[in-house]
Amino acid sequence: MTLLRDAYITGAGAFLPGAPISNDRIEDHIGRIHGRCSLLGRRALRWNGVRTRHYALDAAGRATDSNAGMCAKAVRAALDDAGLGHADLDYLAAATTQGDYLVPGHGVTVHGELGGGPIEVASFQSVCGSALMAAKAAWLNVRAGEHDVAVACAGEFSSRWFQPGFYEGTDLVDDKGRLAAEADFLRFTLSDGAGAIVVEPAPRPSGLSLRIEHIDVVSLAGAFEPCMWAGASRDDRCDAARGWSQAGPVAAHAAGSIALMQDFDLLKRVIRAWVGVYLKKVDEGRIVPDEVDWLLCHYSAQSLRDELMSLLDKTAGAIPPEKWFSNLDKVGNVGSASIWVMLDAFLKSGRLQPGQKVLCVVPESGRALAGFMMLEAV
Amino acid sequence: MTAVAAMPPRGDDVSDVLRRLAIVFAEFEARLAQTPLIRKLTHGRFTLEDYRAFLSGLRQQVMDGALWMSRAASNIDEEHLELRSRLMRHAVAEHRDFRLLEADYVATGGPLSEIQGAEKNIGSEALSAWMFHEASRPNPFGLLGAMWIIEGLGQIKALEWGRAAQQRLELADEAVRFLVYHGENDAAHIAEFEAMLGLVLPDTAIARRIVRTAEVTARLYVLQIEEIAP
């Protein structure tokens, strides 16, 4: 029997399209519903704390890139960071919330953009958590000896889905021309970009690598209904048989089934469920908060309300604020790509020391999922 | 696996028990959301009859709540007088709450005699029997786990349910006072509960009993909600 190998993150890369866009210029890029500024935007921004973000749509609404194109750039940057070239790549695991096409998958689309010879690919489609699903596949492929150079990438081109055409002429806009909060909120929350990591069976020859200790992805979908979704109306979203393709694209659009939506009432419950999953990991000894030197969490502490922060504190589950590293406020919430964009910035910040432990936490509101990755600097 | 789990925490400190209770509550909440009645509420299919059945179902347990708490207090020995005082105060604060439920019921247009004459459902019977059984034991500290579940419902779920029911059924404020009055969860609530745990912990057997009692109470509470039918 072949023994499992340790596997290491030996490189990271990110691609953020265009210049950083400030809060007052968001709607220049994603557009205004019926030409009117959103009333909700400011509230969303206060909650998510994002100050600048990037869009692959220019001020005229033209695409400057594709999801797969941004992923390919992040993959090249990560390989370059690891001191490897494109030709070294054996295995590509690609994650996204919504790819460029309905068919074929994101993995082959990224490979297409990347070019080059035959490799193994895999596609992971979920929401933010898809990043860790892909990372787990890359890690296990290297661990099992199937491949020596694996890349996990994740990308989002969310702004494309926020253009007025997705909402105008649908049930999501009321008589006064106001967009439903469930849809408008996300327009001021998500933005574009891609990130990638390289996984190899040995640390890089110089500089720090991150040994992957474990990756746990926990879905609670058996007990939760869709909380963030596209492809069904609000009323039909709990019944997958009534998804958008059943009605056809024109009727689905009119019903507001194509836009990306978030259920805020459910989100409050989902957040508590995430905390429950995390505390269970702590209780099982899978995560030992005192041993964590750095926390990279794809969720801002300010978005967790006081009572949850207090709960974490009182259950010996809290990780003190000085150990949190985040760049969400500067680069925006890039969905699945966020954790790699954050890890890339963290590694380049020079903060990490040998022997330190880094915990990455990726909650996904899509249908109540939480992902955890524990790393050790070597 | 090379990733050997680290040593689990010792397990009987206040923070360890609170953590386990938080996990039990999170699983309880997910399970509650799957019950037919709560699904109707969150899916916009809740009717006035459902709301009345809900109030009737809750009344039995709310009425019993102060009673089992009093009984528990009477079984706490003199080594734990502070905890006894707190339970007694708690019981006093809550023992008239079922009247509020009845008033809500009447405000929806339901006859008082109906809610007062309603039978306990199977889940309520089981929950009530379990509570009084536990409360009858000497130093029934496990019931702190039951309080975590039931108080947590009041603090976290009641307002959410009350608002959803009010919105869906266009109810007057007078008809949702019980659910809405319990108010929003706040950090002070956890601190108060933490202080009560501190009166009996650390102690491995008590820690285990508190968590177990929370688990059983949560399951029986779900059964009670499952059994509510208009």
Side-chain angles (χ1 to χ4, degrees):
Chain A
M1 212 176 98
T2 318
L3 286 173
L4 292 176
R5 311 187 284 188
D6 271 339
Y8 304 82
I9 296 176
T10 57
F15 177 79
L16 296 163
I21 304 298
S22 58
N23 287 351
D24 55 336
R25 288 177 48 221
I26 291 175
E27 289 176 293
D28 293 346
H29 292 261
I30 62 175
R32 294 173 175 84
I33 314 301
H34 293 300
R36 294 169 48 174
C37 293
S38 165
L39 297 171
L40 189 81
R42 214 168 291 161
R43 191 144 56 93
L45 291 166
R46 251 201 318 274
W47 189 72
N48 63 37
V50 176
R51 289 183 289 119
T52 56
R53 78 283 295 142
H54 296 256
Y55 292 122
L57 288 179
D58 67 16
R62 285 179 303 243
T64 60
D65 212 320
S66 64
N67 185 338
M70 291 188 276
C71 283
K73 292 181 182 77
V75 171
R76 283 192 200 102
L79 284 167
D80 188 56
D81 183 49
L84 298 169
H86 184 174
D88 298 311
L89 181 63
D90 297 323
Y91 176 80
L92 174 68
T96 189
T97 304
Q98 291 170 306
D100 294 307
Y101 303 125
L102 292 177
V103 180
H106 190 49
V108 293
T109 311
V110 175
H111 186 202
E113 287 292 322
L114 203 54
I119 54 171
E120 181 170 343
V121 299
S123 298
F124 294 85
Q125 190 267 320
S126 199
V127 196
C128 309
S130 58
L132 290 189
M133 298 174 191
K136 185 146 190 178
W139 173 49
L140 292 180
N141 265 286
V142 172
R143 206 157 153 63
E146 284 284 293
H147 295 292
D148 287 334
V149 177
V151 164
C153 72
E156 304 289 359
F157 194 162
S158 304
S159 64
R160 211 158 42 177
W161 290 77
F162 297 150
Q163 299 175 96
F166 280 79
Y167 314 101
E168 290 171 356
T170 75
D171 292 349
L172 297 173
V173 179
D174 69 12
D175 297 342
K176 293 178 182 158
R178 289 173 307 198
L179 178 59
E182 297 97 315
D184 209 13
F185 182 83
L186 292 173
R187 300 179 77 234
F188 293 85
T189 300
L190 301 172
S191 53
D192 308 338
I197 53 164
V198 179
V199 182
E200 295 185 85
R204 51 193 286 163
S206 62
L208 288 173
S209 299
L210 290 160
R211 187 176 65 80
I212 300 175
E213 235 174 56
H214 59 79
I215 300 175
D216 295 347
V217 178
V218 182
S219 165
L220 302 177
F224 285 87
E225 274 133 14
C227 180
M228 180 177 154
W229 75 98
S233 67
R234 194 188 160 94
D235 290 344
D236 284 344
R237 78 190 140 119
C238 300
D239 182 1
R242 297 172 69 89
W244 73 274
S245 55
Q246 180 62 32
V250 176
H253 176 263
S257 303
I258 306 297
L260 199 60
M261 311 266 277
Q262 175 96 69
D263 180 332
F264 302 111
D265 292 334
L266 183 51
L267 180 60
K268 286 185 206 148
R269 268 191 277 145
V270 167
I271 291 173
R272 288 197 293 271
W274 289 336
V275 172
V277 172
Y278 169 76
L279 289 176
K280 200 164 186 175
K281 295 281 172 202
V282 172
D283 206 55
E284 292 163 355
R286 186 80 161 160
I287 294 172
V288 182
D290 287 348
E291 290 177 1
V292 174
D293 296 293
W294 294 103
L295 173 68
L296 275 58
C297 180
H298 176 213
Y299 213 78
S300 59
Q302 69 178 48
S303 304
L304 291 177
R305 292 166 53 187
D306 286 350
E307 78 264 14
L308 284 177
M309 292 307 279
S310 160
L311 181 65
L312 284 172
D313 213 29
K314 294 190 183 304
T315 55
I319 293 174
E322 62 272 17
K323 292 184 174 178
W324 289 51
F325 177 90
S326 176
N327 60 354
L328 276 172
D329 63 327
K330 288 185 207 69
V331 299
N333 182 339
V334 202
S336 61
S338 272
I339 196 66
W340 305 143
V341 172
M342 202 182 284
L343 185 65
D344 179 54
F346 172 67
L347 290 172
K348 291 181 171 98
S349 75
R351 287 172 167 84
L352 184 65
Q353 300 297 318
Q356 287 189 327
K357 285 203 173 186
V358 181
L359 172 65
C360 299
V361 177
V362 185
E364 166 175 311
S365 69
R367 199 156 178 172
L369 178 144
F372 307 91
M373 178 167 68
M374 188 69 85
L375 306 167
E376 187 187 6
V378 292
Chain B
M1 302 224 328
T2 55
V4 176
M7 280 294 287
R10 194 161 64 98
D12 61 355
D13 282 334
V14 170
S15 58
D16 296 320
V17 171
L18 267 177
R19 182 169 60 248
R20 268 166 226 147
L21 290 175
I23 295 166
V24 173
F25 194 88
E27 291 171 355
F28 170 53
E29 204 183 347
R31 205 156 177 174
L32 269 178
Q34 298 301 302
T35 59
L37 188 82
I38 302 302
R39 276 178 73 94
K40 278 174 125 179
L41 183 60
T42 51
H43 286 55
R45 296 180 180 277
F46 202 64
T47 64
L48 187 59
E49 287 66 40
D50 290 326
Y51 183 57
R52 287 198 191 128
F54 191 25
L55 294 179
S56 288
L58 290 178
R59 178 180 175 275
Q60 309 304 323
Q61 168 259 315
V62 169
M63 195 157 61
D64 282 354
L67 303 182
W68 63 250
M69 229 178 269
S70 310
R71 184 178 297 186
S74 74
N75 281 314
I76 290 177
D77 65 19
E78 58 190 62
E79 311 271 296
H80 300 89
L81 279 184
E82 176 55 27
L83 183 61
R84 193 201 282 177
S85 302
R86 284 177 189 241
L87 283 183
M88 287 163 83
R89 281 198 294 271
H90 233 90
V92 170
E94 293 184 3
H95 84 122
R96 290 169 190 273
D97 278 3
F98 71 98
R99 290 284 181 225
L100 197 56
L101 258 166
E102 292 174 355
D104 285 355
Y105 189 88
V106 172
T108 67
L112 183 62
S113 57
E114 223 167 70
I115 186 167
Q116 287 183 336
E119 230 182 9
K120 277 182 182 152
N121 74 35
I122 291 171
S124 303
E125 293 279 12
L127 182 61
S128 177
W130 156 253
M131 291 303 197
F132 282 113
H133 166 74
E134 280 301 293
S136 305
R137 293 156 56 124
N139 283 333
F141 302 141
L143 281 171
L144 288 171
M147 284 174 71
W148 172 264
I149 294 297
I150 292 171
E151 299 272 305
L153 271 172
Q155 298 282 336
I156 296 174
K157 303 304 294 180
L159 186 67
E160 184 187 312
W161 288 340
R163 288 211 176 125
Q166 185 171 29
Q167 201 183 349
R168 163 77 192 140
L169 302 172
E170 296 175 350
L171 295 169
D173 288 348
E174 293 72 48
V176 292
R177 281 183 305 169
F178 176 78
L179 289 174
V180 170
Y181 137 103
H182 277 96
E184 264 193 283
N185 185 29
D186 56 34
H189 163 67
I190 301 177
E192 191 194 321
F193 190 79
E194 193 186 18
M196 282 207 278
L197 288 180
L199 298 171
V200 294
L201 295 175
D203 180 300
T204 310
I206 294 173
R208 218 176 274 153
R209 192 64 202 160
I210 290 170
V211 175
R212 188 63 180 156
T213 306
E215 287 170 342
V216 174
T217 305
R219 182 62 192 95
L220 295 179
Y221 204 101
V222 170
L223 186 63
Q224 170 178 267
I225 302 289
E226 279 170 3
E227 290 287 331
I228 295 177

